[in-house]
Amino acid sequence: MFTGIVESLGKVESLQSVGGDVRVRIQTDSDMSDVHLGDSIATNGICLTVIAWGDNWYAADVSRESLSRTTLGTWQVGQAVNVEKAMLPTTRFGGHIVSGHVDAVGEITLARQDARSLYFEVTAPREIAKYLAEKGSVTVDGISLTINHLRGNVLSLNLIPHTAERTNISTWKMGSRVNLEVDVLARYIERLLLGDKAAEQPQASKISMDFLAENGFLK
């Protein structure tokens, strides 16, 4: 589990094809002295399992499932990535609950200066729009952010100078693809609303306005 508060800015050191999967090695300024084999480290919002590490690096294997659902398949050696080690029970909870399980890939469709902040608009895939809420939380490339405004599946974000300095957002531009993770609570609420019908529909959600009305959630 993570908080979405980026710990350090890392760099992709190598990408190696291994049996159809990918092994990635990340250079980082994070303190690696407390890392153990099998620990989780969020890298641009993707929960990766440590298989090897040193004083300033770690390596992880990436499955084809992760490659298909995230931006990792397009990473290049030398590119900047956001790094956050898994939270401890004593960690100050400054962001929101982040699992590191990317829901979809979005696209930066607007980027501009807004006073001292940076303003971005991100177009999310339509299928995850129902999990997004104005003033709710979303994780973008591993950064816990508040959705300022929401227009359908387009969300607007403001990032303060401190966030810009500690993350990879200086590399974001029009057309950049970013990893998105919705608030985990939204996903569980959807399943709870289905009740016993959840077991009958393993492929796609049938939550609709009619379903909500029929079950007394709308009047």
Side-chain angles (χ1 to χ4, degrees):
M1 184 180 295
F2 309 93
T3 67
I5 304 300
V6 173
E7 184 175 335
S8 69
L9 193 58
K11 183 172 68 174
V12 178
E13 193 171 84
S14 66
L15 293 159
Q16 179 186 5
S17 178
V18 182
D21 295 334
V22 170
R23 181 165 296 166
V24 61
R25 177 165 159 149
I26 304 295
Q27 184 180 9
T28 177
D29 291 332
S30 293
D31 178 10
M32 301 295 288
S33 63
D34 60 348
V35 171
H36 301 88
L37 184 67
D39 278 1
S40 297
I41 299 181
T43 311
N44 261 19
I46 308 167
C47 180
L48 297 180
T49 300
V50 174
I51 61 167
W53 73 101
D55 291 339
N56 64 348
W57 64 273
Y58 61 94
D61 285 329
V62 185
S63 68
R64 285 184 288 180
E65 167 70 8
S66 294
L67 291 171
S68 68
R69 295 182 66 93
T70 72
T71 62
L72 200 149
T74 65
W75 288 4
Q76 301 292 323
V77 172
Q79 85 171 63
V81 290
N82 300 316
V83 174
E84 181 191 356
K85 292 186 295 184
M87 65 184 296
L88 300 171
T90 55
T91 302
R92 182 170 288 154
F93 206 156
H96 72 282
I97 297 173
V98 176
S99 67
H101 301 156
V102 174
D103 292 293
V105 174
E107 181 180 347
I108 304 290
T109 47
L110 181 62
R112 61 175 171 80
Q113 197 76 31
D114 184 13
R116 293 193 307 118
S117 297
L118 293 173
Y119 175 87
F120 294 95
E121 289 188 357
V122 180
T123 298
R126 295 178 63 87
E127 59 266 25
I128 70 165
K130 60 186 174 181
Y131 303 116
L132 303 172
E134 192 163 303
K135 302 307 178 185
S137 296
V138 66
T139 308
V140 184
D141 270 0
I143 310 167
S144 174
L145 297 171
T146 299
I147 299 172
N148 286 338
H149 301 288
L150 192 60
R151 301 191 317 276
N153 61 322
V154 180
L155 49 134
S156 67
L157 310 165
N158 272 86
L159 287 87
I160 62 173
H162 175 79
T163 305
E165 292 168 3
R166 296 187 60 85
T167 67
N168 71 343
I169 67 168
S170 64
T171 66
W172 293 1
K173 57 183 182 297
M174 296 276 287
S176 293
R177 288 159 57 80
V178 290
N179 295 316
L180 301 177
E181 181 186 336
V182 301
D183 193 331
V184 65
L185 297 179
R187 290 188 297 221
Y188 283 115
I189 289 171
E190 179 185 37
R191 296 294 291 178
L192 286 170
L193 287 174
L194 288 171
D196 292 339
K197 293 184 179 180
E200 301 171 10
Q201 38 194 346
Q203 294 183 345
S205 170
K206 294 184 180 179
I207 290 286
S208 65
M209 298 301 288
D210 290 340
F211 176 89
L212 294 174
E214 290 171 4
N215 288 272
F217 293 101
L218 296 176
K219 294 183 180 180

